[in-house]
Short mmCIF file of all heavy atoms in Angstrom, two decimals:
data_model
loop_
_atom_site.label_atom_id
_atom_site.label_comp_id
_atom_site.label_asym_id
_atom_site.label_seq_id
_atom_site.Cartn_x
_atom_site.Cartn_y
_atom_site.Cartn_z
N VAL A 36 36.86 71.94 99.43
CA VAL A 36 38.21 71.47 99.76
C VAL A 36 38.73 70.72 98.53
O VAL A 36 38.04 69.86 98.00
CB VAL A 36 38.19 70.55 100.99
CG1 VAL A 36 39.58 70.05 101.32
CG2 VAL A 36 37.57 71.26 102.17
N PRO A 37 39.92 71.06 98.08
CA PRO A 37 40.43 70.36 96.89
C PRO A 37 40.69 68.89 97.19
O PRO A 37 41.11 68.52 98.28
CB PRO A 37 41.73 71.09 96.56
CG PRO A 37 42.13 71.75 97.83
CD PRO A 37 40.85 72.05 98.56
N VAL A 38 40.41 68.05 96.22
CA VAL A 38 40.59 66.61 96.35
C VAL A 38 41.94 66.25 95.76
O VAL A 38 42.29 66.70 94.66
CB VAL A 38 39.45 65.85 95.62
CG1 VAL A 38 39.69 64.35 95.70
CG2 VAL A 38 38.12 66.23 96.21
N GLN A 39 42.68 65.43 96.48
CA GLN A 39 43.97 65.00 95.98
C GLN A 39 43.74 64.00 94.84
O GLN A 39 42.90 63.11 94.95
CB GLN A 39 44.79 64.33 97.11
CG GLN A 39 45.10 65.23 98.26
CD GLN A 39 46.02 66.36 97.84
OE1 GLN A 39 46.86 66.18 96.96
NE2 GLN A 39 45.86 67.51 98.46
N PRO A 40 44.48 64.14 93.73
CA PRO A 40 44.29 63.18 92.63
C PRO A 40 44.81 61.80 93.02
O PRO A 40 45.72 61.66 93.81
CB PRO A 40 45.12 63.80 91.50
CG PRO A 40 46.11 64.68 92.19
CD PRO A 40 45.45 65.15 93.44
N GLY A 41 44.19 60.79 92.46
CA GLY A 41 44.63 59.43 92.69
C GLY A 41 43.80 58.71 93.73
O GLY A 41 43.78 57.49 93.76
N THR A 42 43.14 59.42 94.61
CA THR A 42 42.30 58.77 95.62
C THR A 42 40.86 59.19 95.40
O THR A 42 40.57 60.36 95.13
CB THR A 42 42.72 59.18 97.05
OG1 THR A 42 42.60 60.58 97.17
CG2 THR A 42 44.16 58.76 97.33
N ILE A 43 39.96 58.25 95.49
CA ILE A 43 38.54 58.56 95.31
C ILE A 43 37.88 58.45 96.68
O ILE A 43 37.77 57.35 97.23
CB ILE A 43 37.86 57.61 94.31
CG1 ILE A 43 38.56 57.70 92.97
CG2 ILE A 43 36.37 57.89 94.20
CD1 ILE A 43 38.09 56.70 91.97
N PRO A 44 37.45 59.61 97.26
CA PRO A 44 36.82 59.55 98.57
C PRO A 44 35.39 59.02 98.48
O PRO A 44 34.79 58.95 97.40
CB PRO A 44 36.84 61.01 99.03
CG PRO A 44 36.90 61.81 97.78
CD PRO A 44 37.62 60.96 96.76
N ALA A 61 33.33 63.25 100.77
CA ALA A 61 33.92 63.61 102.07
C ALA A 61 35.44 63.68 101.86
O ALA A 61 36.05 62.77 101.31
CB ALA A 61 33.57 62.57 103.11
N VAL A 62 35.99 64.77 102.29
CA VAL A 62 37.43 65.00 102.09
C VAL A 62 38.08 65.09 103.46
O VAL A 62 37.60 65.77 104.36
CB VAL A 62 37.67 66.30 101.29
CG1 VAL A 62 39.16 66.54 101.10
CG2 VAL A 62 36.96 66.22 99.96
N ALA A 63 39.20 64.40 103.58
CA ALA A 63 39.96 64.44 104.83
C ALA A 63 40.58 65.84 104.98
O ALA A 63 40.93 66.47 103.98
CB ALA A 63 41.05 63.37 104.83
N PRO A 64 40.67 66.32 106.20
CA PRO A 64 41.26 67.65 106.39
C PRO A 64 42.74 67.66 105.91
O PRO A 64 43.45 66.66 106.03
CB PRO A 64 41.17 67.91 107.89
CG PRO A 64 40.99 66.56 108.51
CD PRO A 64 40.31 65.71 107.47
N VAL A 65 43.11 68.77 105.40
CA VAL A 65 44.47 68.92 104.87
C VAL A 65 45.44 69.07 106.06
O VAL A 65 45.23 69.89 106.93
CB VAL A 65 44.56 70.16 103.95
CG1 VAL A 65 45.98 70.34 103.45
CG2 VAL A 65 43.59 70.01 102.81
N GLN A 66 46.47 68.23 106.05
CA GLN A 66 47.49 68.31 107.09
C GLN A 66 48.49 69.40 106.73
O GLN A 66 48.94 69.47 105.60
CB GLN A 66 48.22 66.97 107.22
CG GLN A 66 47.32 65.82 107.64
CD GLN A 66 46.79 66.01 109.06
OE1 GLN A 66 47.46 66.61 109.88
NE2 GLN A 66 45.60 65.52 109.31
N GLU A 68 51.96 71.38 106.36
CA GLU A 68 53.33 70.94 106.08
C GLU A 68 54.15 71.05 107.37
O GLU A 68 53.98 71.99 108.15
CB GLU A 68 53.96 71.83 105.00
CG GLU A 68 53.33 71.67 103.64
CD GLU A 68 53.62 70.32 103.01
OE1 GLU A 68 54.72 69.77 103.24
OE2 GLU A 68 52.73 69.79 102.33
#
Side-chain angles (χ1 to χ4, degrees):
V36 179
V38 177
Q39 298 295 327
T42 59
I43 301 173
V62 179
V65 178
Q66 297 294 329
E68 293 291 326

